[in-house]
Each structure stands twice: as C-alpha cells, then as structure tokens.
Amino acid sequence: RPEMTETPYPTRIEDGSPDLHDMEGAPGMTYRLLIDSTKVPSASLCHGIFYMEPEAEEASHTHDVSETIYVLSGRGYVRLDDDKVTLAPGDMVYIPPGTAHGFYAEDEMQVHFTFPVDCFDDVAYHDAT
C-alpha cells in the first residue's frame, strides 16, 4: 500500500481510472474505487461508486463499520433492517455498523459510497439473510 501523505490526490472518473470491478455475489453490480489505500495515499477513508444494472440486487448483509451512500443517478431502494427506503438522485443514507442492508436498482443506478477504512478489502461483508 502507498504510504499515507498529507498531499492531496485528485481522482477523475472521466480519465478511465481507477478500474472497474465485479461485485462478488451480486450479478449486474460493479464498483470503482476512487479513494483507497491500495491505490492512493489515504488512511481511514475509502470512497467508490457502485454501478447497478436495471433489476440488479445486492443481498442483505451487514458490516462491522459504518457506511454512507449518496445516489448519483437512477432509482431503486435500500432495505434497512425491516424497512424499505426508496432511493432517487440526491438521496443520502447513513448505515450504522451492524445494520442489515441490501440494494435493488429499478433502473440503471449509480451510488457513491464511503467507508471509514483504509481500503475496500478491509470491509467485511456478513450475510444477513
């Protein structure tokens, strides 16, 4: 991993980087890491974008850390424990550690996510079904 630095590090999606990855166990869902200590000199902060095809669904799961999501485009919903919350562009959701959650895209959806970890691989996904 790159050593953390106090130097700003711009990441531009339109430059075609960073790479697009398949989301394990979630067909029709990919992600792009924007800020992650395996790619840039950052610590305790991971940012990325989930891309969901129409009718893509992520199974209910939990994390040991908090997560925030911000809907960039598209529509769908997030299940939060027993609640179903409709999502549209401009919506932001805070998901506390241990909260069961999963996503469903009604149409093509892009969601910005953040985790308070050094890198995405530090986020443990626990099945909540």
Side-chain angles (χ1 to χ4, degrees):
R1 294 181 184 177
E3 186 174 324
M4 200 211 41
T5 178
E6 296 299 320
T7 304
Y9 190 94
T11 301
R12 292 184 175 83
I13 298 170
E14 63 271 10
D15 293 342
S17 63
D19 298 329
L20 194 61
H21 304 277
D22 290 329
M23 188 70 180
E24 188 175 323
M29 189 170 174
T30 55
Y31 67 94
R32 198 179 290 278
L33 295 173
L34 303 174
I35 301 294
D36 179 271
S37 67
T38 61
K39 303 284 184 195
V40 301
S42 68
S44 300
L45 189 59
C46 174
H47 283 265
I49 298 177
F50 289 126
Y51 299 92
M52 297 182 72
E53 296 175 5
E55 299 183 11
E57 185 167 12
E58 182 184 35
S60 188
H61 61 280
T62 63
H63 307 293
D64 299 330
V65 296
S66 58
E67 178 180 6
T68 62
I69 61 152
Y70 178 79
V71 181
L72 299 168
S73 64
R75 297 190 183 283
Y77 64 82
V78 61
R79 291 175 309 285
L80 298 169
D81 289 327
D82 295 327
D83 295 328
K84 180 177 164 182
V85 178
T86 301
L87 296 174
D91 290 344
M92 185 166 208
V93 178
Y94 168 71
I95 304 168
T99 301
H101 63 286
F103 300 96
Y104 176 81
E106 293 173 359
D107 50 61
E108 192 171 294
M109 195 162 77
Q110 293 184 17
V111 177
H112 175 257
F113 64 85
T114 60
F115 290 104
V117 297
D118 291 345
C119 70
F120 188 72
D121 289 341
D122 293 340
V123 180
Y125 279 68
H126 308 289
D127 185 15
T129 55

